[in-house]
Amino acid sequence: MKIIQNNLNRFVVQKFITYKLHIGSLKSLWNPRFKPFLNGFRNNFCVINPELSVLYLKRAYKILQKIHLSNKKILFIGSPVGLEKEFSCLCIQNNHYFMEKGIYGFFSNYENKASLNIFNTQISSKQPDVIFIFNPSLNLMVFEETKGLDIPIISFVSTDDDYFKLDYPIPANIKSKKGGLFVYNLFHYLFTTKVRKFSDR
């Protein structure tokens, strides 16, 4: 078990740096609220603190793993860059919900949407237990419509995003094909085995 945990930690750290997920937006575009997650600036780009990113990723991963292993539902809104079809199939194969983007009015009357094939798979009237959003800036309506539903929201956020409405932000820039590959592999890792997890060390 310890070897598996160490392998996962090593995979995350190596890929995070290799794929440059710690390089955020241009300094001219950054959100000052993101300052606690920054190491500083380099060549006019924001540099995210990778140690904090891994820490926040571990926390979110444990929540997602618990939901998945309990046979509860994760609603994914959006998908990794460059792997849209593959990721929707991965979600459906593992009995989770998938939407290409947020839809106005959907959550405000959730139970009446049970007969709609919005997730590329038939859904029940039971609301998801957690929501994972790929681009929070393009799905602001989700935050407004889920206020009274008590559904935690998880998302990767880069330096030009606003993370204050998220329950579990993960500071990292995944807005690239390499970032998309990293996230796809991460969820594939989570879904295809029931014993792998991040260690607390």
Side-chain angles (χ1 to χ4, degrees):
M1 176 67 73
K2 186 175 180 179
I3 293 176
I4 291 174
Q5 292 173 353
N6 289 338
N7 285 343
L8 180 54
N9 287 339
R10 191 159 50 248
F11 163 81
V12 171
V13 174
Q14 287 178 348
K15 295 301 182 183
F16 193 91
I17 301 298
T18 300
Y19 291 170
K20 299 182 178 180
L21 307 187
H22 63 301
I23 305 299
S25 66
L26 285 168
K27 184 178 179 180
S28 60
L29 300 176
W30 82 302
N31 184 343
R33 286 184 170 184
F34 206 90
K35 187 175 181 180
F37 299 117
L38 285 189
N39 262 349
F41 303 95
R42 184 184 304 161
N43 298 325
N44 288 321
F45 281 90
C46 302
V47 180
I48 301 169
N49 184 331
E51 293 183 1
L52 281 179
S53 296
V54 173
L55 181 66
Y56 278 78
L57 179 56
K58 285 181 180 181
R59 182 180 66 163
Y61 186 94
K62 289 177 181 178
I63 293 169
L64 292 165
Q65 185 181 55
K66 182 178 180 180
I67 294 294
H68 177 66
L69 296 182
S70 300
N71 294 318
K72 295 181 179 179
K73 299 295 184 182
I74 304 170
L75 166 58
F76 291 93
I77 300 179
S79 52
V81 175
L83 292 165
E84 291 80 3
K85 291 182 179 179
E86 292 85 352
F87 188 74
S88 65
C89 291
L90 181 68
C91 295
I92 294 167
Q93 289 168 1
N94 288 278
N95 299 313
H96 294 298
Y97 302 149
F98 173 78
M99 296 176 71
E100 293 181 359
K101 60 182 179 179
I103 299 174
Y104 283 102
F106 180 80
F107 292 96
S108 59
N109 197 10
Y110 186 85
E111 293 187 359
N112 290 339
K113 306 299 189 298
S115 62
L116 298 180
N117 192 20
I118 288 181
F119 299 110
N120 296 333
T121 182
Q122 200 70 19
I123 68 171
S124 69
S125 59
K126 182 181 181 299
Q127 69 183 31
D129 297 278
V130 66
I131 297 173
F132 190 100
I133 300 180
F134 276 88
N135 195 327
S137 298
L138 297 180
N139 292 282
L140 296 178
M141 80 290 289
V142 176
F143 298 99
E144 296 300 320
E145 294 194 4
T146 57
K147 277 184 178 179
L149 298 180
D150 194 28
I151 305 175
I153 300 179
I154 301 172
S155 180
F156 284 94
V157 287
S158 188
T159 52
D160 55 344
D161 293 317
D162 189 349
Y163 65 90
F164 269 51
K165 292 183 179 181
L166 290 165
D167 298 286
Y168 300 98
I170 307 168
N173 184 4
I174 62 165
K175 300 174 183 179
S176 66
K177 288 187 177 181
K178 286 186 177 180
L181 181 61
F182 173 86
V183 179
Y184 178 88
N185 286 335
L186 187 70
F187 279 108
H188 188 274
Y189 208 84
L190 186 152
F191 290 154
T192 55
T193 178
K194 295 187 176 182
V195 296
R196 293 176 181 169
K197 62 180 181 180
F198 288 116
S199 66
D200 293 325
R201 295 181 180 180

